[in-house]
Amino acid sequence: MPKRPSSQRWLQRQQRDPYVKQAQQSDYRSRAVYKLMEMDERDRLFRPGLVVIDLGAAPGSWSQYAIQRVGPRGRVIAIDVLPVGPVQGVTVIQGDFTEQTSYAACIQALEGGSADLVISDMAPNLSGIKSSDQARSIYLAELARDLALEVLKPGGDLLVKVFQGEGIDEFRRSLKEHFARIQSRKPRASREGSREFYLLAHDYRP
Ligand SMILES: C[S@@+](CC[C@H](N)C(=O)[O-])C[C@H]1O[C@@H](n2cnc3c(N)ncnc32)[C@H](O)[C@@H]1O
């Protein structure tokens, strides 16, 4: 069957993408790792011994990177609605984070402790209807924020993927109420045409 033009375009883009090539030549499962790596190099997100929650973790490249950076004294708890293949040292939960049981499972995995860093790369499946896609992405970001407010230690950080559009200013303001500093990040590996960017909320002030 001939390929539809959109899937051909996707294939061509994948073949030309230097980050896809780099990921294929490494052990990382996705090009997404290069976004996290760049933000970490710039903002020093990770340190040995940190406890990290990775939301929207599949296929698992952020978790692979996080566990390398926090080392054996640290912890990474990863959740996704899709399966995440085992990553040594990472606690994986499969579930829909919008469901109370999955949200609670993340908290339970901390075994009464708290987290130093929450990272969320969650993105909804796009329907093509801009307003509803934007509303769903803001909702996921709000849930990531709510978990962060519940589990972070004072001084902890939240890194959350968002999309430029309606509701973003309000979401950013809501972070300002709880964190000392909010920064926007658009790593080079984030596709230029995409409205995706990351908000980095530093220094949780409960
Ligand atoms: C861009 S991918 C994440 C890539 C990942 N950071 C990596 O490095 O491999 C976004 C992920 O968010 C997940 N996701 C979207 N909505 C979710 C939800 N409600 N609960 C859990 N995961 C969700 C998707 O299943 C998808 O795997």
Side-chain angles (χ1 to χ4, degrees), residues 31-32 35 39 62 121-123 134 137 160-165 185-199:
R31 71 187 290 291
K35 304 179 200 176
M39 293 188 279
W62 279 28
D121 201 20
M122 283 191 293
Q134 179 65 7
S137 89
V160 57
K161 168 143 89 185
V162 287
F163 293 83
Q164 200 56 258
R185 295 286 178 251
K186 176 80 178 171
R188 281 187 298 275
S190 176
R191 300 187 200 275
E192 251 175 50
S194 160
R195 291 181 299 114
E196 160 194 289
F197 68 104
Y198 294 83
L199 285 173

Side-chain angles (χ1 to χ4, degrees), residues 30 32-33 54 56-62 79-82 95-98 121-124 140 161:
S30 154
V33 74
D54 179 11
S61 71
W62 279 28
I79 181 165
D80 203 292
V81 68
L82 299 176
D96 181 342
F97 190 63
T98 63
D121 201 20
M122 283 191 293
L140 292 176
K161 168 143 89 185

Side-chain angles (χ1 to χ4, degrees), residues 34-104:
Y34 299 106
K35 304 179 200 176
L36 184 62
M37 238 181 231
E38 184 183 326
M39 293 188 279
D40 183 30
E41 276 159 18
R42 178 170 180 174
D43 295 297
R44 298 172 189 277
L45 300 172
F46 296 93
R47 285 190 310 281
L50 293 192
V51 176
V52 179
I53 300 189
D54 179 11
L55 305 173
S61 71
W62 279 28
S63 286
Q64 289 177 294
Y65 180 78
I67 195 70
Q68 284 163 9
R69 295 283 289 116
V70 302
R73 286 189 298 112
R75 274 200 78 191
V76 177
I77 297 158
I79 181 165
D80 203 292
V81 68
L82 299 176
V84 178
V87 182
Q88 197 172 5
V90 175
T91 305
V92 175
I93 300 164
Q94 186 174 358
D96 181 342
F97 190 63
T98 63
E99 287 175 7
Q100 182 55 35
T101 46
S102 306
Y103 185 99

Side-chain angles (χ1 to χ4, degrees), residues 93-145:
I93 300 164
Q94 186 174 358
D96 181 342
F97 190 63
T98 63
E99 287 175 7
Q100 182 55 35
T101 46
S102 306
Y103 185 99
C106 288
I107 295 175
Q108 243 173 12
L110 287 168
E111 296 166 344
S114 45
D116 301 282
L117 174 64
V118 173
I119 53 179
S120 172
D121 201 20
M122 283 191 293
N125 283 329
L126 298 181
S127 68
I129 302 167
K130 208 170 158 186
S131 57
S132 101
D133 288 341
Q134 179 65 7
R136 288 187 308 138
S137 89
I138 289 277
Y139 180 54
L140 292 176
E142 285 171 349
L143 287 180
R145 174 203 62 202

Side-chain angles (χ1 to χ4, degrees), residues 131-184:
S131 57
S132 101
D133 288 341
Q134 179 65 7
R136 288 187 308 138
S137 89
I138 289 277
Y139 180 54
L140 292 176
E142 285 171 349
L143 287 180
R145 174 203 62 202
D146 293 349
L147 180 78
L149 299 184
E150 210 166 326
V151 301
L152 279 180
K153 289 177 189 154
D157 296 331
L158 165 69
L159 175 71
V160 57
K161 168 143 89 185
V162 287
F163 293 83
Q164 200 56 258
E166 203 179 332
I168 202 68
D169 292 339
E170 201 181 335
F171 178 66
R172 197 188 168 110
R173 274 197 298 276
S174 78
L175 293 178
K176 267 185 131 172
E177 286 173 23
H178 305 282
F179 292 85
R181 214 156 18 102
I182 317 296
Q183 286 166 316
S184 300

